Amino acid sequence: MIYLTIDKNLKTNSIYQQIYEAIKVSILEGRMKPGEKLPSKRILADQLKVSVNSVMNAYEQLLAEGYIYTTERKGYYVENITQFIHKGDLLKNQLPSDLKESFMDKEGWLSLSHMTSNISLFPFKKWLKCQQKAIDIHNRELSEITHPQGPYIVRKTICHLIALTRGVICEPEQIIIGAGTMSLIRQLMEMQKNNSVIAMEDPGYFRMYSLLKNMQFDVHPVKMDAKGIDIKEVESSKANFTFVTPSHQFPTGKIMPISRRIELLNWSTYSNDRYIVEDDYDSEFKYETDNIPALQSLDRNQRVIYTGTFSKTMFPGLRISYMVLPPDILREYRRYYSDLMPSSNSLNLFTLHYFIENGEYNRHVKRMNHHYEMKRKILINELQQRFNNDIHIEDVPAGLHIFAHFKTNKDHDEIEKMANQAKLEIYSMKRFMLKHKYKENNSIDLVIGFANIQEEKIAEAVNRLYYIIS
Ligand code: 76U
C-alpha cells in the first residue's frame, strides 16, 4: 500500500505531477518493491480525492519512463529497476568552483583592443531587411540541411566578392564557409597527416599556434625579417605548411612585399605536399593605398589555401568565415567530410548573400574605411603628442590596429597589470610571442586597436596609457 499526500493548492506542480513524483521516489528509494501492484486508478483517485484522469496521467508517465509495467486487465506493477550505485559523493552534481565563470564588469573601461569591430555603425535595419528576404525566398532550404560547405548561392556571392576585392581566383565549389577561421583551420588540418610540419610567423596569432600544437603537429615559429617570414628558416624547419598573414602581418602590421611573396610561392612548388595558408583577416582596410591583391591571386600552382572572415568588416559575433581550397585538398576534403553537417547558421548566410548582392556590404566597408581611417589618425596624433620621442609607430596605413614601440623601463607584465588597474583594455607583444622573446631593454611593444573606441574617448585612453607606461 502506498501513502501519498497531495497538495491541491500547490502552484508549481500539477496534481498528476505530484502523484507521478511521489510514486517515482517511492520506487527509486525502494519503498515500493519490484512486482508490487499499484492501486487501481479508481481506488487511488478516491483515496486522494482527485480525478481518475490525474491518476491515469501519472500512471501513463510512469509507464512511459519504465518505472511500472502493466499486464492486461490485471493492473499496474512496479518494474524491477537496477539500483543506482552511490559513490557517496553527494556534491557530484554541483559544478566545482574552478569551473564557475566570472563576469567582468566593463563599467568605466576603455578599449584599445585589436579584437573588436565598431558595431555601432552597422546597418542592422538593412541587415534585417535582407534577413526577411532570406526567409521569404529560402523558406524551404532553411527547413533542410544545407550543403556542408554552405549554400551554393552564398559561396557564389563570396566567390565574386573576393575575386573583385582580393583578386582571389576560385570557383564556388572551392569555398568552405564555417563559423570562424579557427574552426575551418581545424577542419583543414584534421585531415592532414599527423607528421605534417608547420611553419608560422613569430610574433603571430597565438590562438592558431595553440590550436595546431594541441592537434599534435610539429609547429615551428619562424622569425621575421623586414620583409616578413624568413624563407630560409621555413626551409630549414622542413615545414610542409606555412601559415602567413601577408596583407597585414598579425600583429606587426607589415605588408609582405612582392619579392617575398614570390619566394614563398616558389618554396611551395618544390614538393607536392607543400602548402601556404594565407590568413587574410583584415585586408579590406587599407587607408592610403589601394587594396593589395591576395597572395592566392599570384599562385600559379594551386598551393595556397586562402582564409577570409566577415568578423572585421562586419562584426565578430556573426561568426562567418570561409576558406578556399585548391582542387587536390578539396577532393580530400569532400572525401574526408562526406558525412559532415554544416557548421554555419544558414539564415545568416542567406542574409549575407542579399546584403552583399544589393551593395550594402560594399557601402558598409567603404563607410568603415573612412571611419577607421579617421580614428586611426586621431589615435596616432594623440599618441605622438603625448609620448613624443618615447614612441615609434610602425606606420602601415592598414587594418584595425597599429603596432607601436614605447621607451620604458617597465616590462610587458607590468604594463598589462597596470592597464588592468587603470581600466584600459590593451594587449602587449607578450600575447603574440610564440617562441622567440621580443623584448629589448628599455622598450615594450603594444598592439593598439582603434575599432571600438569612440573618437571622443581616444584622448582619455591615450592619457591612461601614458600614465601606465611613463
Ligand atoms: C582572425 C587572425 C590573425 C583570423 C586574427 C583574427 O574566427 O574568422 C586575436 C587575438 O573571427 P575569425 O578570426 C579572424 N586571423 O587576428 C581575428 N582576431 C581574433 C579576434 F579578434 C583574436 O586573440 O589576439
Side-chain angles (χ1 to χ4, degrees):
M1 186 64 196
I2 45 171
Y3 297 97
L4 307 179
T5 46
I6 298 296
D7 180 352
K8 289 186 180 163
N9 298 321
L10 197 67
K11 295 232 165 46
T12 47
N13 262 354
S14 66
I15 289 172
Y16 113 78
Q17 280 169 331
Q18 293 183 52
I19 301 170
Y20 156 81
E21 275 296 332
I23 298 179
K24 184 171 91 175
V25 170
S26 298
I27 295 174
L28 285 176
E29 291 181 352
R31 274 178 278 127
M32 290 181 78
K33 302 279 180 267
E36 185 176 332
K37 190 170 192 295
L38 270 73
S40 79
K41 289 175 259 185
R42 191 166 306 279
I43 290 177
L44 187 58
D46 279 352
Q47 184 193 322
L48 297 173
K49 301 201 170 33
V50 299
S51 74
V52 176
N53 252 348
S54 297
V55 179
M56 189 175 76
N57 287 342
Y59 280 15
E60 287 299 319
Q61 187 61 31
L62 290 163
L63 197 60
E65 292 185 33
Y67 288 100
I68 60 176
Y69 63 91
T70 175
T71 314
E72 222 167 315
R73 275 190 289 272
K74 283 197 173 156
Y76 295 91
Y77 298 86
V78 176
E79 256 302 355
N80 187 2
I81 295 173
T82 316
Q83 291 299 301
F84 280 114
I85 296 170
H86 290 283
K87 283 232 163 148
D89 183 1
L90 292 175
L91 296 174
K92 70 182 188 310
N93 285 337
Q94 277 179 13
L95 188 70
S97 58
D98 62 313
L99 297 178
K100 283 256 190 268
E101 292 175 37
S102 55
F103 296 94
M104 200 166 132
D105 181 6
K106 287 266 168 174
E107 189 60 37
W109 276 73
L110 292 178
S111 173
L112 292 178
S113 161
H114 59 287
M115 290 189 254
T116 53
S117 72
N118 184 353
I119 204 167
S120 69
L121 295 177
F122 189 76
F124 277 107
K125 279 206 181 111
K126 290 182 178 134
W127 177 262
L128 289 176
K129 269 197 179 151
C130 294
Q131 181 167 24
Q132 187 59 56
K133 195 167 171 185
I135 293 168
D136 295 342
I137 297 178
H138 301 283
N139 216 276
R140 188 182 52 79
E141 289 145 290
L142 287 170
S143 74
E144 294 169 350
I145 295 163
T146 51
H147 193 287
Q149 293 177 222
Y152 191 84
I153 61 157
V154 187
R155 283 185 275 141
K156 197 168 161 193
T157 304
I158 292 177
C159 187
H160 282 308
L161 177 77
I162 57 181
L164 284 173
T165 57
R166 313 290 310 116
V168 171
I169 309 154
C170 70
E171 300 282 335
E173 280 74 3
Q174 291 173 260
I175 296 184
I176 322 277
I177 307 175
T181 305
M182 281 182 70
S183 67
L184 288 165
I185 295 295
R186 182 199 289 275
Q187 281 184 14
L188 168 75
M189 296 313 290
E190 197 189 297
M191 58 182 205
Q192 304 306 326
K193 296 190 193 78
N194 42 16
N195 62 358
S196 296
V197 180
I198 300 168
M200 283 188 89
E201 297 166 330
D202 188 4
Y205 190 10
F206 197 86
R207 290 181 202 248
M208 196 62 81
Y209 175 67
S210 341
L211 171 78
L212 297 168
K213 291 276 283 181
N214 286 340
M215 290 180 88
Q216 311 298 325
F217 288 109
D218 183 8
V219 191
H220 289 258
V222 171
K223 273 200 281 198
M224 300 206 295
D225 59 25
K227 290 183 174 178
I229 195 160
D230 186 327
I231 303 286
K232 281 201 193 79
E233 259 200 58
V234 171
E235 195 65 68
S236 63
S237 73
K238 302 260 183 304
N240 61 317
F241 277 89
T242 300
F243 279 60
V244 283
T245 47
S247 298
H248 190 226
Q249 202 277 329
F250 187 76
T252 63
K254 286 194 187 89
I255 298 172
M256 190 186 283
I258 185 72
S259 55
R260 184 57 50 90
R261 286 175 189 239
I262 297 174
E263 281 169 2
L264 189 58
L265 288 167
N266 287 347
W267 163 84
S268 72
T269 61
Y270 293 134
S271 160
N272 272 344
D273 65 345
R274 285 191 182 179
Y275 289 97
I276 299 166
V277 178
E278 174 180 22
D279 178 359
D280 208 26
Y281 67 105
D282 76 353
S283 59
E284 294 85 353
F285 299 108
K286 290 277 178 295
Y287 308 116
E288 285 149 30
T289 56
D290 239 348
N291 258 353
I292 288 157
L295 181 71
Q296 199 266 11
S297 71
L298 302 168
D299 177 21
R300 284 139 204 243
N301 302 289
Q302 302 188 305
R303 300 276 105 199
V304 176
I305 294 147
Y306 174 90
T307 67
T309 176
F310 291 95
S311 295
K312 301 282 178 183
T313 50
M314 302 217 272
F315 53 94
L318 257 188
R319 307 315 298 133
I320 305 181
S321 312
Y322 49 92
M323 67 179 167
V324 180
L325 298 182
D328 284 354
I329 298 218
L330 177 64
R331 189 167 294 109
E332 207 183 322
Y333 184 95
R334 294 256 176 95
R335 194 180 44 77
Y336 193 93
Y337 291 116
S338 59
D339 295 324
L340 191 72
M341 289 286 276
S343 72
S344 308
N345 170 332
S346 51
L347 177 56
N348 278 346
L349 294 186
F350 286 121
T351 306
L352 174 70
H353 164 74
Y354 293 109
F355 196 72
I356 296 174
E357 197 185 47
N358 67 18
E360 283 310 334
Y361 176 75
N362 276 342
R363 273 191 286 281
H364 178 61
V365 173
K366 217 169 174 183
R367 215 172 20 238
M368 296 314 285
N369 255 287
H370 290 306
H371 171 77
Y372 289 139
E373 179 173 24
M374 176 265 299
K375 282 213 295 205
R376 181 174 177 278
K377 274 196 183 132
I378 300 177
L379 174 66
I380 290 182
N381 245 335
E382 286 290 341
L383 285 168
Q384 266 158 353
Q385 277 183 18
R386 208 72 177 87
F387 288 91
N388 269 310
N389 294 329
D390 291 343
I391 188 170
H392 171 72
I393 298 170
E394 298 281 345
D395 195 13
V396 185
L400 302 185
H401 65 265
I402 56 172
F403 187 62
H405 317 277
F406 295 83
K407 276 191 202 152
T408 176
N409 295 326
K410 296 178 182 144
D411 62 21
H412 289 132
D413 283 329
E414 226 176 324
I415 297 288
E416 287 195 352
K417 199 167 142 214
M418 285 183 76
N420 205 31
Q421 284 162 0
K423 296 192 174 179
L424 182 68
E425 187 183 7
I426 189 160
Y427 296 91
S428 79
M429 184 61 145
K430 209 179 137 207
R431 186 183 182 86
F432 313 98
M433 297 189 290
L434 307 187
K435 187 177 97 191
H436 304 97
K437 298 275 171 260
Y438 296 89
K439 170 82 182 90
E440 284 172 24
N441 279 344
N442 305 323
S443 97
I444 56 142
D445 303 331
L446 295 182
V447 169
I448 312 178
F450 46 85
N452 212 14
I453 181 123
Q454 292 162 282
E455 294 110 84
E456 57 278 13
K457 296 274 172 64
I458 292 177
E460 163 66 10
V462 172
N463 261 341
R464 288 189 197 180
L465 192 59
Y466 186 74
Y467 156 82
I468 293 161
I469 290 181
S470 57

